[in-house]
Amino acid sequence: MQQAEKVMSEQDSWIEVGNLNDIPKLGARVVRTADGDIAVFRTADDEIFALRDKCPHKGGPLSQGIVHGKRVACPLHDWKIQLDSGEAVAPDEGCAASYPVKVEGELILLSLTPNEGCPNS
Amino acid sequence: HNDPLACCLLNHRYEHSVEGVMKEKLVLIGNGMAGVRTLEEVLKLAPDQYDISVFGGEPYGNYNRILLSPVLAGEKTIDEIMLNDEQWYKDNDITLHKGKWVDEVNRAQRIVRTTDGTEEKYDRLIIATGSNPFIIPIPGHDMQGVIAFRDINDVDTMLSASKEKNGKAIVIGGGLLGLEAANGLMKQGMDVSVVHLLDSLMERQLDKAASALLKASLEERGMKFLMEAQTEAIIGKDQVEAVRFKDGTEVPADLVVMAVGIKPNIELAEKIGLHCERGIVVSDTMQTFDPRIYSVGECVQHRGMTYGLVAPLFEQAKVCANHLAHLGIARYEGSITSTKLKVTGIDLFSAGDFEGDDTTEELVLQDPGLGIYKKVVLKDNKIQGAVMYGDTIDGTWYFEMMRDNTDVSDIRDKLLFGQAHLGDSGHGDDNRVAAMSATTEICGCNGICKGDIVDAITRKNLFTLDDVRVHTKASSSCGSCTGLVEALLAHTLGGDYSQSPNKKPLCGCTEFTHDEVRTSIRENELKTVHDVQEFLEWKAPDGCSKCRPALNYYLLCQWPGEYIDDNQSRFINERAHANIQKDATFSVIPRMWGGGTTPDELRAIADAAEKFNVKTVHVTGGQRIAMYGLKKEELPVIWGDLSKAGLVSGHAYGKALRTVKTCVGKEWCRFGTQDSTQLGVDLEKMTWGSWTPHKYKMAASGCPRNCAEATIKDFGVVCVDSGYELHVGGNGGVKVRATDLLCHVETSEQVLEYAAAFMQLYREDAHYLERTAPWLERVGLTFVKEKVVEDEAGRKALAERFLYSQKFSQDDPWQARAEGTDEHEFKPIKMVS
């Protein structure tokens, strides 16, 4: 019963963000919410990731960085952030919250409930 | 690629994969710095390719042998010099057979066997057996109390010997190792005499003058010397009591340290039939005559040379790992090395051929009062070698120029006074790293102090500039403290540090240099970022934030009109045509031609500032007006407003032509000699919109009073009565550099032609993110004069290429974006209420 409730609420929480082609390859776009921006990234092989648009270092907008592999380089001080986990690449330490995201056909769907494991949401 | 083994290895791997999960077997004999570094590099490049085993004779993990001297001197502990503890081997699934000696390798069956019968099969084998101390075979050499200075065991012996009160030690050998041992023993309270066969210390690293200075300063500290003394026998019953020399004298001793040299340990390699001369002979890919067997480190002989310093060994490790990972693009081409003595308080540096011969020239600076001695050996105006004593801050600079084969004819007269006297104030008298306190700030951009850097180098075992950049951020922003960080590395690591590989790769994604990448783009007609990365086998498929902007620029420069700019390979400022600020807002700076403006333009700026609620309006150093605090979505809108008044992008955000600063010249000024204002406008009209390796600034002053500060610009014009002086290669900023005078011309048309030609030469020749000042120092003013001044046809061709490429770059990016170009860049993809 509890399980069913959880599934229901997750389904409710997916929001349509836009199409895959609205984001350039190796680029990012911003989803603006009342609680701040979420950056949605697209890699070279069309994987989509979503992170809080705030570098754990000095709050730089990750959406404005250069995307390479599964990483983004923060535009302010070039910290590298892992797109799948939001973790800073060692030896830097810190994380940006990551958000569940999926692609159905061309459509990008995002949940506004961050994944667990990072306090910076 | 051209590895004869590649195909049979592929088959081999296939066999394994049929069987199931087995990986190729990689076995390392020798658990020292070179071998383990090779494994680290292999794990970086191909973490899953090999199943790895290591055999080590010593009962420890891998430690930093070059730091044994500080351990002996009591400045460090054993724990502090461990590089890889046993946990590291576990974490990386490496089998460590410690305390075991390999005495047999069956090359046909590919099996390694130790003295106690342990066996490992291998697909590829690395022999890194290092070197052995050379023990002089005199009577008594095997007595108690006679040791070498090679491993932790030796240090332990020395430390326990020094506990005896009034102990006397004799160190045989006045080379680097001997003096470091003697210094350590002296610090532990022993009475130390150094015995040397020749008449000057460290004769392989120092010339006689520097050697004499060194000896005097060690004597001042209490070290004794017996020069030109040949040891005949060590005297004692079981324990050493004295040393006897050829002339019959006897000197009492409780401890004798033999530090007369090392010899490559080739015993195993010879036994198993590998071709050896002085060392194990290897190819440029670090393979022995049996291509399944590699060798790295002090046991190796490469192109006739053997090496005992860390930097070359690490370069070998990198090449070896590259080949083991089947990347096959790296080649070891030998190393130029430099030396520093790790004796606290003694500054000494030497590199290359410092003795010279009939074909070389010597530049010498000697100040006995200050205890300073510098010698630079030149051949055809290129540095062959250098020796420095007392003041070694410029050692890394000389070394770099030696490695890059830089022609120093333009700076010969200032060479010995150091880099600080080149008008490049990167470091000066106050900045001698040794004398700095731990709280002295080294990296002003990131607020990193000397103590932070030294701490990171020692605690995290860093060896290279890149390591320090990653771990501390020092030198990773503007880079002006790079020389200081390198000096700190040298100072902290001491003896064996030589700062950088022969070749500096463009970034971590490739082994190729900037120049090699550019040549390949041209010769192989590579036309997209992806093509370059694929053709040159980039390690990361889509590069990184360092190489992508560089490649984008190189392609843009090489194929004007043809190459389609890759927006996603541009830094945000150039992608969004505005400067990102720390709060993620942007600044907007319209162009003001030659620093001039009109009431209409000012009105448009004032209106825009009010409409968009601009918090800060600021006059820039380049004679324009900046508006700060704009949101990204607002940019196309404010640009639309500004372009209605005729204002265009100032490219204040780009590696591009920025400003042309002018004074009012002869139109108003009573001293003006030419119309410098109009000249500035003409220069800016010709060059705006062009992309360059780094930002590019110009100025035109109407008379030699130079109010437009033309002599600290990339290209500056100083008007004189007879025409125009053209100056190049200046900049303000952290490292102020005044320009060099390029030439004098007579007409403003000539000014424009020379300006275009110089800018194009810089665009085609400099490395990405290298400003004209360091570029000019690297290639030399003579080179630039040859291309731009002396070769008229060449100059005209350069200028023509510049003007051709300008045809494709002079569209105002602001107006285009106000009209809808790149709309996605400026708008959120979605607003969620």
Side-chain angles (χ1 to χ4, degrees):
Chain A
M1 186 62 200
Q2 269 184 339
Q3 192 65 27
E5 265 174 19
K6 189 159 180 257
V7 171
M8 271 304 285
S9 71
E10 266 181 16
Q11 268 174 354
D12 287 345
S13 72
W14 289 110
I15 56 163
E16 291 179 11
V17 163
N19 283 327
L20 195 61
N21 286 329
D22 293 336
I23 306 176
K25 268 186 198 288
L26 296 174
R29 297 283 299 274
V30 161
V31 173
R32 184 141 298 163
T33 78
D35 296 327
D37 287 356
I38 295 171
V40 185
F41 301 88
R42 178 179 173 191
T43 65
D45 40 16
D46 289 342
E47 278 193 273
I48 298 288
F49 298 98
L51 297 178
R52 164 69 58 204
D53 197 14
K54 250 183 141 166
C55 181
H57 179 216
K58 300 256 166 113
L62 297 173
S63 57
Q64 310 299 303
I66 289 182
V67 178
H68 53 100
K70 282 191 196 181
R71 291 175 177 180
V72 62
C74 176
L76 293 196
H77 306 96
D78 208 34
W79 275 37
K80 310 288 190 299
I81 308 296
Q82 206 67 44
L83 293 179
D84 46 9
S85 62
E87 295 281 345
V89 174
D92 293 325
E93 288 171 12
C95 66
S98 67
Y99 291 79
V101 64
K102 62 181 178 182
V103 183
E104 287 180 357
E106 288 293 295
L107 199 61
I108 300 169
L109 297 161
L110 169 76
S111 161
L112 298 181
T113 315
N115 292 318
E116 282 175 16
C118 174
N120 305 319
S121 47
Chain B
H1 299 311
N2 43 14
D3 176 0
L5 267 177
C7 63
C8 70
L9 263 174
L10 282 178
N11 288 336
H12 197 72
R13 253 199 296 191
Y14 178 69
E15 280 165 31
H16 280 317
S17 65
V18 171
E19 283 165 22
V21 290
M22 280 181 77
K23 302 187 222 171
E24 286 178 81
K25 289 272 309 172
L26 175 64
V27 172
L28 166 64
I29 303 175
N31 187 29
M33 293 175 78
V36 176
R37 182 66 162 212
T38 309
L39 297 185
E40 285 180 333
E41 297 280 349
V42 168
L43 290 171
K44 249 193 263 169
L45 295 172
D48 300 319
Q49 191 171 340
Y50 291 104
D51 184 5
I52 304 174
S53 312
V54 179
F55 290 91
E58 285 185 70
Y60 310 99
N62 173 35
Y63 61 90
N64 187 342
R65 208 175 284 275
I66 64 171
L67 291 181
L68 282 175
S69 305
V71 172
L72 178 61
E75 291 161 2
K76 277 190 199 311
T77 66
I78 297 282
D79 283 347
E80 283 174 319
I81 68 165
M82 290 307 293
L83 290 173
N84 305 83
D85 56 15
E86 293 184 30
Q87 192 58 41
W88 179 84
Y89 297 85
K90 282 186 196 135
D91 292 347
N92 289 289
D93 287 328
I94 296 173
T95 314
L96 173 62
H97 301 282
K98 61 176 185 178
K100 292 195 182 183
W101 293 91
V102 174
D103 71 337
E104 210 182 315
V105 177
N106 184 329
R107 285 165 53 197
Q109 293 176 3
R110 302 206 302 272
I111 294 173
V112 168
R113 192 172 295 120
T114 64
T115 44
D116 72 348
T118 310
E119 287 188 357
E120 287 275 5
K121 248 184 111 48
Y122 68 86
D123 294 298
R124 298 211 174 190
L125 176 68
I126 308 169
I127 298 183
T129 42
S131 62
N132 289 325
F134 187 71
I135 301 289
I136 320 167
I138 45 173
H141 69 84
D142 47 4
M143 207 174 284
Q144 281 270 328
V146 182
I147 56 165
F149 180 27
R150 192 60 196 151
D151 55 30
I152 291 183
N153 200 21
D154 296 329
V155 172
D156 284 344
T157 311
M158 287 193 247
L159 287 176
S160 57
S162 68
K163 295 212 172 73
E164 301 289 319
K165 256 199 163 167
N166 306 321
K168 289 189 193 313
I170 289 186
V171 176
I172 303 177
L176 191 72
L177 206 59
L179 294 178
E180 287 185 1
N183 179 63
L185 290 169
M186 203 165 68
K187 284 219 161 168
Q188 297 296 343
M190 292 193 88
D191 174 15
V192 183
S193 302
V194 174
V195 177
H196 199 49
L197 192 57
L198 302 170
D199 62 349
S200 71
L201 298 171
M202 286 180 72
E203 73 284 348
R204 283 176 64 193
Q205 289 89 14
L206 299 180
D207 64 355
K208 293 218 163 154
S211 174
L213 284 167
L214 171 65
K215 182 160 169 268
S217 109
L218 288 171
E219 273 168 344
E220 221 167 83
R221 291 157 180 249
M223 205 180 283
K224 294 172 190 156
F225 291 95
L226 297 159
M227 304 302 283
E228 296 179 86
Q230 194 173 343
T231 316
E232 195 178 63
I234 293 168
I235 298 166
K237 287 194 186 102
D238 302 319
Q239 168 72 30
V240 58
E241 286 166 17
V243 173
R244 186 170 69 230
F245 298 98
K246 208 143 212 173
D247 63 2
T249 50
E250 281 185 20
V251 179
D254 304 305
L255 178 75
V256 174
V257 180
M258 288 216 195
V260 289
I262 54 172
K263 52 177 186 192
N265 179 2
I266 57 174
E267 197 185 330
L268 177 69
E270 273 191 319
K271 185 174 170 187
I272 65 174
L274 294 175
H275 178 60
C276 297
E277 289 170 10
R278 270 184 305 141
I280 305 168
V281 177
V282 294
S283 66
D284 285 1
T285 49
M286 306 315 294
Q287 283 162 301
T288 65
F289 276 51
D290 177 344
R292 281 191 185 275
I293 304 183
Y294 297 72
S295 188
V296 292
E298 292 180 331
C299 55
V300 156
Q301 180 181 333
H302 171 265
R303 299 192 187 179
M305 295 285 288
T306 59
Y307 295 97
L309 303 170
V310 168
L313 309 191
F314 282 4
E315 279 177 56
Q316 294 174 356
K318 216 170 174 171
V319 171
C320 182
N322 197 288
H323 206 260
L324 282 166
H326 298 198
L327 293 175
I329 46 172
R331 287 239 169 314
Y332 182 62
E333 292 165 359
S335 301
I336 310 168
T337 55
S338 66
T339 310
K340 275 195 97 185
L341 184 70
K342 277 188 305 294
V343 170
T344 309
I346 292 184
D347 268 341
L348 184 155
F349 174 91
S350 94
D353 168 19
F354 52 83
E355 292 287 6
D357 55 36
D358 295 348
T359 65
T360 60
E361 301 169 89
E362 282 178 14
L363 309 184
V364 178
L365 183 151
Q366 212 160 358
D367 184 337
L370 286 177
I372 290 173
Y373 174 79
K374 300 187 198 180
K375 176 163 98 176
V376 175
V377 175
L378 300 179
K379 184 172 184 174
D380 301 329
N381 282 315
K382 291 178 179 155
I383 298 179
Q384 298 298 299
V387 187
M388 309 163 80
Y389 186 89
D391 173 11
T392 56
I393 186 133
D394 286 299
T396 48
W397 182 50
Y398 295 143
F399 187 72
E400 209 164 276
M401 288 194 289
M402 184 166 97
R403 186 195 60 203
D404 296 344
N405 223 4
T406 305
D407 188 318
V408 297
S409 36
D410 298 323
I411 50 170
R412 274 182 70 132
D413 54 340
K414 304 178 196 88
L415 198 62
L416 284 175
F417 299 105
Q419 202 174 9
H421 290 263
L422 276 185
D424 167 348
S425 58
H427 52 74
D429 284 359
D430 300 335
N431 283 343
R432 274 141 222 280
V433 289
M436 286 177 184
S437 72
T439 54
T440 308
E441 191 171 82
I442 302 282
C443 174
C445 295
N446 296 299
I448 314 293
C449 300
K450 174 185 167 183
D452 303 332
I453 298 173
V454 172
D455 198 46
I457 293 171
T458 48
R459 277 197 310 114
K460 295 179 179 161
N461 289 309
L462 311 182
F463 285 104
T464 66
L465 179 63
D466 277 341
D467 287 346
V468 175
R469 283 180 175 156
V470 169
H471 282 269
T472 68
K473 305 292 166 203
S475 155
S476 63
S477 296
C478 81
S480 65
C481 61
T482 300
L484 286 175
V485 174
E486 289 188 327
L488 266 178
L489 263 165
H491 182 71
T492 311
L493 292 177
D496 301 64
Y497 171 77
S498 78
Q499 80 278 33
S500 32
N502 289 335
K503 276 178 27 166
K504 276 192 183 167
L506 192 151
C507 72
C509 303
T510 181
E511 297 293 330
F512 293 107
T513 63
H514 282 271
D515 290 330
E516 288 167 343
V517 170
R518 287 197 98 160
T519 308
S520 183
I521 287 173
R522 191 169 57 242
E523 289 179 354
N524 300 302
E525 302 208 8
L526 306 175
K527 304 221 166 152
T528 67
V529 171
H530 185 71
D531 285 352
V532 179
Q533 290 168 338
E534 204 171 72
F535 189 84
L536 297 178
E537 299 184 335
W538 238 242
K539 287 178 214 162
D542 36 54
C544 68
S545 53
K546 204 170 163 193
C547 59
R548 286 237 305 278
L551 295 181
N552 188 59
Y553 168 73
Y554 290 152
L555 288 158
L556 196 72
C557 179
Q558 182 62 42
W559 313 113
E562 203 181 335
Y563 175 67
I564 299 159
D565 208 318
D566 176 19
N567 249 345
Q568 299 312 128
S569 289
R570 283 196 180 264
F571 183 64
I572 180 60
N573 290 359
E574 293 184 355
R575 199 181 336 135
H577 291 276
N579 271 20
I580 196 164
Q581 305 298 327
K582 67 177 194 181
D583 62 351
T585 65
F586 289 82
S587 63
V588 165
I589 305 177
R591 196 167 286 288
M592 289 184 169
W593 305 96
T597 185
T598 63
D600 278 344
E601 285 182 353
L602 291 173
R603 211 169 278 123
I605 290 171
D607 287 347
E610 273 184 353
K611 176 172 162 187
F612 292 91
N613 221 348
V614 167
K615 290 196 190 77
T616 301
V617 180
H618 185 253
V619 176
T620 73
Q623 298 185 328
R624 342 199 249 191
I625 294 173
M627 288 169 275
Y628 286 84
L630 290 137
K631 297 194 190 73
K632 202 178 181 193
E633 303 92 283
E634 293 173 334
L635 292 174
V637 192
I638 192 172
W639 293 339
D641 287 4
L642 294 172
S643 68
K644 278 184 203 123
L647 289 158
V648 300
S649 164
H651 291 84
Y653 45 79
K655 310 301 174 208
L657 185 271
R658 295 280 178 92
T659 63
V660 185
K661 191 173 184 174
T662 70
C663 66
V664 291
K666 78 170 179 190
E667 194 186 358
W668 295 96
C669 180
R670 64 203 163 102
F671 299 116
T673 61
Q674 310 283 352
D675 191 350
S676 53
T677 325
Q678 186 58 45
L679 182 65
V681 172
D682 291 346
L683 279 168
E684 194 160 353
K685 292 271 179 193
M686 176 177 79
T687 55
W688 77 274
S690 64
W691 299 104
T692 40
H694 207 306
K695 61 184 172 183
Y696 192 92
K697 299 177 178 183
M698 296 199 276
S701 283
C703 78
R705 283 165 193 77
N706 191 14
C707 296
E709 297 163 340
T711 47
I712 52 162
K713 296 288 181 272
D714 295 282
F715 185 89
V717 185
V718 175
C719 300
V720 289
D721 207 47
S722 61
Y724 307 85
E725 281 175 2
L726 306 183
H727 298 260
V728 293
N731 61 218
V734 201
K735 288 183 170 191
V736 183
R737 185 184 194 275
T739 47
D740 289 311
L741 177 63
L742 183 70
C743 63
H744 176 278
V745 296
E746 280 162 23
T747 68
S748 60
E749 289 76 22
Q750 282 174 308
V751 174
L752 291 173
E753 182 179 303
Y754 280 67
F758 175 78
M759 201 164 170
Q760 185 66 10
L761 183 64
Y762 168 61
R763 295 180 76 226
E764 292 176 3
D765 194 78
H767 300 164
Y768 190 64
L769 295 188
E770 182 178 41
R771 281 200 73 175
T772 56
W775 169 66
L776 194 66
E777 285 179 10
R778 183 166 63 81
V779 300
L781 181 64
T782 308
F783 166 82
V784 174
K785 278 186 173 169
E786 274 167 17
K787 299 277 181 191
V788 176
V789 184
E790 285 148 30
D791 176 3
E792 191 188 337
R795 174 177 67 244
K796 288 195 188 305
L798 278 167
E800 228 164 77
R801 287 204 292 283
F802 179 78
L803 295 177
Y804 177 75
S805 77
Q806 282 298 80
K807 284 187 189 173
F808 311 99
S809 67
Q810 293 198 320
D811 289 320
D812 177 28
W814 284 3
Q815 192 181 358
R817 277 150 192 80
E819 289 165 359
T821 300
D822 285 351
E823 200 183 353
H824 65 85
E825 181 67 46
F826 301 94
K827 267 191 176 166
I829 190 171
K830 173 100 179 176
M831 311 283 270
V832 183
S833 50

